[in-house]
Amino acid sequence: MSDPSLPARSVPDLPLSGRCFCGAVTFAVAEPPSGVIACHCHDCQQMHGTYNPMAAVPRGALSVSGEALVWFASSAKARRGFCGRCGSRLFKDNLGSDRVLVSMGSFDGSTGLRLLRNIWTESKGDWYDLPAEEPPRA
Ligand SMILES: [Zn+2]
């Protein structure tokens, strides 16, 4: 049974789609991500200008198009994918993971997703409050 006190959750059609600001890089997600993880680490804040809400997408469900996509090795364990033309930060790829993290702001329209978890909260900025987590509904 769904909780009547919570607003109805829209379930968008698959695949979800998205793009960078200029449109040179586009992507599609063929399976629904489980939800959103907001990373408050210093690396994400420097790269995105603020904390970084991302959806964990199964690697095989993500297809990306556009020769403007550039990968930057942000550490020995992760690389960041961004548009080399407009600079939009689209992906974080933790090497060896079966999922790729996709920036929530890059999706087209509604995603039907909710914030499941804040991570690296000890390094969050002092100028904002943590966004509310909303665990998956039964
Ligand atoms: Zn672009």
Short mmCIF file of all heavy atoms in Angstrom, two decimals, residues 20-25 83 85-88, ligand 1:
data_model
loop_
_atom_site.label_atom_id
_atom_site.label_comp_id
_atom_site.label_asym_id
_atom_site.label_seq_id
_atom_site.Cartn_x
_atom_site.Cartn_y
_atom_site.Cartn_z
N CYS A 20 23.90 17.32 -22.62
CA CYS A 20 24.64 18.45 -22.08
C CYS A 20 23.92 19.74 -22.49
O CYS A 20 22.96 19.72 -23.26
CB CYS A 20 26.07 18.43 -22.61
SG CYS A 20 26.17 18.73 -24.37
N PHE A 21 24.41 20.86 -22.00
CA PHE A 21 23.76 22.14 -22.26
C PHE A 21 23.68 22.45 -23.76
O PHE A 21 22.64 22.91 -24.25
CB PHE A 21 24.52 23.25 -21.53
CG PHE A 21 23.93 24.61 -21.71
CD1 PHE A 21 22.84 25.02 -20.96
CD2 PHE A 21 24.45 25.50 -22.64
CE1 PHE A 21 22.28 26.27 -21.14
CE2 PHE A 21 23.91 26.75 -22.83
CZ PHE A 21 22.82 27.14 -22.07
N CYS A 22 24.75 22.20 -24.49
CA CYS A 22 24.77 22.56 -25.92
C CYS A 22 24.20 21.47 -26.81
O CYS A 22 23.95 21.71 -27.99
CB CYS A 22 26.18 22.96 -26.36
SG CYS A 22 27.29 21.57 -26.66
N GLY A 23 24.00 20.28 -26.27
CA GLY A 23 23.41 19.19 -27.05
C GLY A 23 24.41 18.35 -27.82
O GLY A 23 24.02 17.42 -28.52
N ALA A 24 25.69 18.64 -27.69
CA ALA A 24 26.70 17.87 -28.42
C ALA A 24 26.85 16.45 -27.86
O ALA A 24 27.31 15.55 -28.56
CB ALA A 24 28.05 18.59 -28.39
N VAL A 25 26.50 16.27 -26.59
CA VAL A 25 26.54 14.95 -25.97
C VAL A 25 25.14 14.61 -25.49
O VAL A 25 24.50 15.41 -24.79
CB VAL A 25 27.52 14.91 -24.77
CG1 VAL A 25 27.54 13.51 -24.15
CG2 VAL A 25 28.92 15.32 -25.21
N CYS A 83 31.17 17.51 -21.35
CA CYS A 83 31.14 17.96 -22.74
C CYS A 83 32.33 18.89 -22.98
O CYS A 83 32.47 19.90 -22.29
CB CYS A 83 29.84 18.68 -23.05
SG CYS A 83 29.82 19.40 -24.72
N ARG A 85 32.72 20.85 -25.34
CA ARG A 85 32.32 22.11 -25.98
C ARG A 85 31.71 23.08 -24.95
O ARG A 85 32.12 24.22 -24.84
CB ARG A 85 31.32 21.85 -27.10
CG ARG A 85 30.94 23.11 -27.84
CD ARG A 85 29.77 22.86 -28.80
NE ARG A 85 30.16 22.00 -29.91
CZ ARG A 85 29.28 21.51 -30.79
NH1 ARG A 85 28.00 21.80 -30.68
NH2 ARG A 85 29.69 20.73 -31.77
N CYS A 86 30.69 22.62 -24.20
CA CYS A 86 29.99 23.53 -23.28
C CYS A 86 30.39 23.34 -21.82
O CYS A 86 30.04 24.16 -20.98
CB CYS A 86 28.48 23.40 -23.44
SG CYS A 86 27.79 21.87 -22.78
N GLY A 87 31.11 22.24 -21.51
CA GLY A 87 31.60 22.06 -20.15
C GLY A 87 30.64 21.37 -19.19
O GLY A 87 30.98 21.19 -18.02
N SER A 88 29.45 20.99 -19.66
CA SER A 88 28.51 20.31 -18.77
C SER A 88 29.13 19.03 -18.21
O SER A 88 29.69 18.23 -18.96
CB SER A 88 27.23 19.93 -19.52
OG SER A 88 26.57 21.06 -20.02
ZN ZN B 1 27.81 20.42 -24.67
#
